[in-house]
Amino acid sequence: MAQQVQGVIAPGKNEPVRVETIVIPDPGPGEAVVKIQACGVCHTDLHYKQGGINDDFPFLLGHEAAGIVESVGEGVTDVEPGDFVVLNWRAVCGQCRACLRGRPWYCFNTHNARQRMTLLDGTELSPALGIGAFAEKTLVAAGQCTKVDPEVSPAVAGLLGCGVMAGIGAAINTGEVGRGDSVAVIGCGGVGDAAVVGARLAGAAKIIAVDIDDRKLDMAKKMGATHTVNSRATDPVEAIRSLTGGNGADVVIEAVGRPETYKQAFYARDLAGTVVLVGVPTPELQIELPMIDVFGRGGSLKSSWYGDCLPSRDFPMLIDLHQQGRIDLGAFVTETIGLGDIEQAFTRMHGGDVLRSVVVF
Ligand code: APR
Ligand code: ZN
Ligand code: ZN
């Protein structure tokens, strides 16, 4: 039987979000209904509301979530009702060329639930990143559910579904930060701070945090940065070079998505170093670089998609490390809020006041 729950939708471009009654169908083959316990507020939710992703309004927002599987459809064997799970954006196919080569984060046959959730009048909703978890319950593909230790706080677990995984994964998966490496992180919001945590976890000797906001640099220090650079006051490329014996960092992680910071990342790496781009640019942005620099600098230039994560491997591992006290994912939760507070949470996020507001149910 289809059921009705409360959820937060973005009705149209730049219109305020609002709480509505959502109709959730029973899970079909390969699908699951998940009772949401916590869901973080991410920039991408704001981008949906602003029409920056696509025009498929109305959106059911929310995508950094953890909860309990309530029911599963035909053929679902990996999760069962009662399992505590973290949701990921897309279920990978396991069969395409990328999956078979062991790089499922590049899977080009990913899928979400096939059925649609709707409003009471039948209007179909577009769930943010195929999740839609600013709702008491949501419908997803079963492969979007990763079982994790149920002892962890849902507010912490949910964060792994997006920004925190993107940042930690940029350091440990894409950047392959090694013991003793020097790492620079440009842009220390939630994603950059998570990259700092990842670099520390990987045993980096130096972690240089760069931002234009001193409040962000203070936070990065709490997360494990060993040095901070305010790039409004100091040229970050020079600062990173001088902190690394004139060489540049072994790994530079860019977590802003602007032309100037892409360039800084490019020039702040050691000749044999790695640049990891996590910051997502808007489509119109361009950078220009002298070809001689592109050729003449060795190392590698990589972009990191969702931290190149494998949810089944990385979510439980990071939760274990958190439970052991070896990383503190709780530090990313600035505040917990209710479903009715999301519009204000966007305002605070925009002002740089919070790392993450997390809706708890
Ligand atoms: N130089 C350095 N830091 C900058 C600059 C700049 N020119 N401009 C902005 N910043 C800093 C901000 O002060 C802020 O601390 O970058 C940080 C961006 O953080 P958030 O806005 O909180 O964004 P976050 O959620 O961390 O995501 C960062 O990664 O995955 C992507 O889509 C995401 O592109 C976004 C980026
Ligand atoms: Zn997100
Ligand atoms: Zn695939």
Side-chain angles (χ1 to χ4, degrees):
M1 268 266 293
Q3 40 182 334
Q4 297 179 7
V5 301
Q6 296 302 103
V8 170
I9 67 155
K13 192 166 178 163
N14 285 320
E15 288 174 34
V17 301
R18 61 170 186 253
V19 179
E20 286 273 356
T21 300
I22 311 291
V23 180
I24 314 244
D26 280 345
E31 294 175 343
V33 169
V34 179
K35 191 168 186 305
I36 302 300
Q37 294 181 306
C39 182
V41 181
C42 173
H43 276 85
T44 305
D45 296 305
L46 181 59
H47 291 162
Y48 273 111
K49 173 190 139 149
Q50 294 168 333
I53 308 242
N54 61 52
D55 286 328
D56 300 336
F57 290 98
F59 293 107
L60 176 58
L61 298 178
H63 61 274
E64 291 191 357
I68 306 274
V69 175
E70 181 186 77
S71 54
V72 298
E74 202 188 308
V76 174
T77 52
D78 286 348
V79 287
E80 57 184 28
D83 283 348
F84 178 62
V85 295
V86 175
L87 301 181
N88 69 67
W89 299 340
R90 294 177 189 93
V92 298
C93 77
Q95 279 152 20
C96 70
R97 182 165 179 273
C99 283
L100 292 175
R101 295 179 82 205
R103 298 175 186 168
W105 47 92
Y106 288 132
C107 173
F108 43 78
N109 289 329
T110 57
H111 65 281
N112 302 123
R114 289 187 175 78
Q115 299 183 85
R116 298 288 288 264
M117 292 177 276
T118 64
L119 295 174
L120 281 175
D121 67 2
T123 306
E124 291 190 339
L125 294 166
S126 306
L129 292 173
I131 293 182
F134 288 151
E136 294 162 310
K137 295 177 186 176
T138 194
L139 175 78
V140 291
Q144 291 180 260
C145 301
T146 304
K147 255 173 95 159
V148 298
D149 179 356
E151 296 297 314
V152 71
S153 126
V156 161
L159 297 183
L160 288 176
C162 182
V164 169
M165 186 67 246
I168 295 182
I172 66 175
N173 293 334
T174 318
E176 298 180 288
V177 171
R179 192 172 59 230
D181 278 356
S182 56
V183 176
V185 177
I186 302 179
C188 297
V191 174
D193 276 345
V196 168
V197 168
R200 183 165 172 215
L201 183 62
K206 266 184 199 152
I207 304 173
I208 305 162
V210 179
D211 205 289
I212 49 175
D213 182 339
D214 283 329
R215 293 175 303 168
K216 298 299 177 118
L217 292 171
D218 288 343
M219 183 53 97
K221 219 159 190 169
K222 290 200 185 97
M223 297 284 185
T226 57
H227 301 78
T228 58
V229 176
N230 186 321
S231 55
R232 273 212 209 287
T234 313
D235 175 357
V237 175
E238 287 307 316
I240 291 165
R241 288 221 183 112
S242 89
L243 286 165
T244 52
N247 299 314
D250 296 310
V251 181
V252 185
I253 298 169
E254 198 278 0
V256 185
R258 299 279 319 158
E260 59 277 19
T261 45
Y262 266 47
K263 277 194 186 169
Q264 289 162 5
F266 183 77
Y267 286 107
R269 76 165 190 260
D270 178 86
L271 278 184
T274 303
V275 176
V276 179
L277 306 171
V278 204
V280 182
T282 48
E284 78 287 359
L285 294 175
Q286 309 247 346
I287 51 172
E288 207 173 291
L289 288 168
M291 275 179 72
I292 190 67
D293 290 349
V294 177
F295 173 77
R297 303 180 64 77
S300 59
L301 182 61
K302 295 169 140 184
S303 50
S304 184
W305 298 355
Y306 203 172
D308 292 346
C309 78
L310 193 52
S312 58
R313 175 193 66 192
D314 295 336
F315 292 177
M317 171 189 73
L318 292 171
I319 283 173
D320 265 359
L321 289 167
H322 171 78
Q323 294 292 74
Q324 293 170 28
R326 292 166 67 186
I327 56 176
D328 178 16
L329 299 177
F332 289 89
V333 181
T334 314
E335 57 176 4
T336 55
I337 61 173
L339 260 189
D341 306 326
I342 289 170
E343 195 61 50
Q344 296 94 299
F346 281 146
T347 309
R348 280 195 294 277
M349 181 173 75
H350 200 66
D353 299 327
V354 294
L355 273 182
R356 275 295 184 270
S357 306
V358 180
V359 176
V360 290
F361 295 84

